[in-house]
């Protein structure tokens, strides 16, 4: 019983300690954002956000970082029509970097839009997702193809 209590106290202490380090580092919680204006009043809003990783203590000499880049396809009034994202886990050591794993997701909250397909792949220090969304307006439909790439520099800067 003493071992279990000691283990729980250790986990709690490490968790609180990591939270204090994150707060003290002064890192911005605001994701980086970019807006790309498209034809017809549409625009694509992209952002990169941290993905929490709880096992940050690693004996390896390389650093690991996981980030998600999301693109929201919006109309001129700012309504999200569809969205897709790519998440990549990268390792870097100051000289090189590489994408170890990636995955994607997509959704279409607007009634006249649907996700036709989404795929992703990794290559070197980057990962790319490709999404095809279909807009149906009565008897007509139009496919929109968009690509989203996330990459990591040798120093751990993700863009």
């Amino acid at each position: 019983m003493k071992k279990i209590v000691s283990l729980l106290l250790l986990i709690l202490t490490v968790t609180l300690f990591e939270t204090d380090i994150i707060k003290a580092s002064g890192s911005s919680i605001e994701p980086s954002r970019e807006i790309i204006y498209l034809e017809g009043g549409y625009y694509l809003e992209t952002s990169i956000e941290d993905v929490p990783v709880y096992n940050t203590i690693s004996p390896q000499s390389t650093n690991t970082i996981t980030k998600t880049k999301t693109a929201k396809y919006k109309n001129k009034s700012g309504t999200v029509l569809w969205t897709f994202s790519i998440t990549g886990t990268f390792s870097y050591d100051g000289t090189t970097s590489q994408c170890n794993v990636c995955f994607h997701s997509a959704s279409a909250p607007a009634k006249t839009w649907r996700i036709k397909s989404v795929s992703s792949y990794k290559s070197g220090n980057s990962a790319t997702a490709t999404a095809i969304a279909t807009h149906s307006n009565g008897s007509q439909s139009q496919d929109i193809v968009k690509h989203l790439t996330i990459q990591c520099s040798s120093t751990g800067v993700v863009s």
Side-chain angles (χ1 to χ4, degrees):
M1 181 68 174
K2 261 186 169 181
K3 287 183 180 181
I4 292 174
V5 171
S6 296
L7 181 62
L8 289 174
L9 285 173
L10 177 65
I11 291 171
L12 179 62
T13 303
V14 168
T15 303
L16 291 174
F17 181 71
E18 285 180 9
T19 303
D20 290 341
I21 288 174
I22 291 169
K23 287 180 184 174
S25 71
S27 63
S28 174
I29 296 175
E30 273 298 308
S32 59
R33 296 192 183 280
E34 179 183 4
I35 295 177
I36 302 163
Y37 293 96
L38 308 168
E39 292 180 22
Y42 296 104
Y43 64 96
L44 200 63
E45 180 181 271
T46 64
S47 63
I48 298 176
E49 298 177 10
D50 291 327
V51 175
V53 178
Y54 298 104
N55 57 348
T56 57
I57 300 171
S58 172
Q60 301 171 350
S61 62
T62 60
N63 299 301
T64 302
I65 190 167
T66 300
K67 298 259 187 174
T68 298
K69 188 171 189 178
T70 302
K72 296 177 181 178
Y73 193 88
K74 297 181 175 185
N75 62 15
K76 56 185 157 191
S77 65
T79 303
V80 176
L81 305 173
W82 60 281
T83 182
F84 71 112
S85 64
I86 180 80
T87 298
T89 298
F90 303 92
S91 58
Y92 62 96
D93 62 9
T95 304
T96 62
S97 63
Q98 73 174 31
C99 181
N100 302 317
V101 65
C102 70
F103 58 93
H104 58 265
S105 64
S107 65
K111 291 180 182 180
T112 59
W113 289 84
R114 71 178 180 83
I115 301 299
K116 186 174 186 178
S117 70
V118 61
S119 61
S120 62
Y121 67 91
K122 64 183 180 73
S123 177
N125 68 340
S126 67
T128 300
T130 300
I132 302 173
T134 302
H135 179 234
S136 298
N137 190 3
S139 61
Q140 296 179 343
S141 65
Q142 177 185 12
D143 287 349
I144 305 292
V145 179
K146 292 294 172 194
H147 307 280
L148 189 60
T149 298
I150 189 169
Q151 60 186 359
C152 180
S153 72
S154 62
T155 58
V157 176
V158 176
S159 57

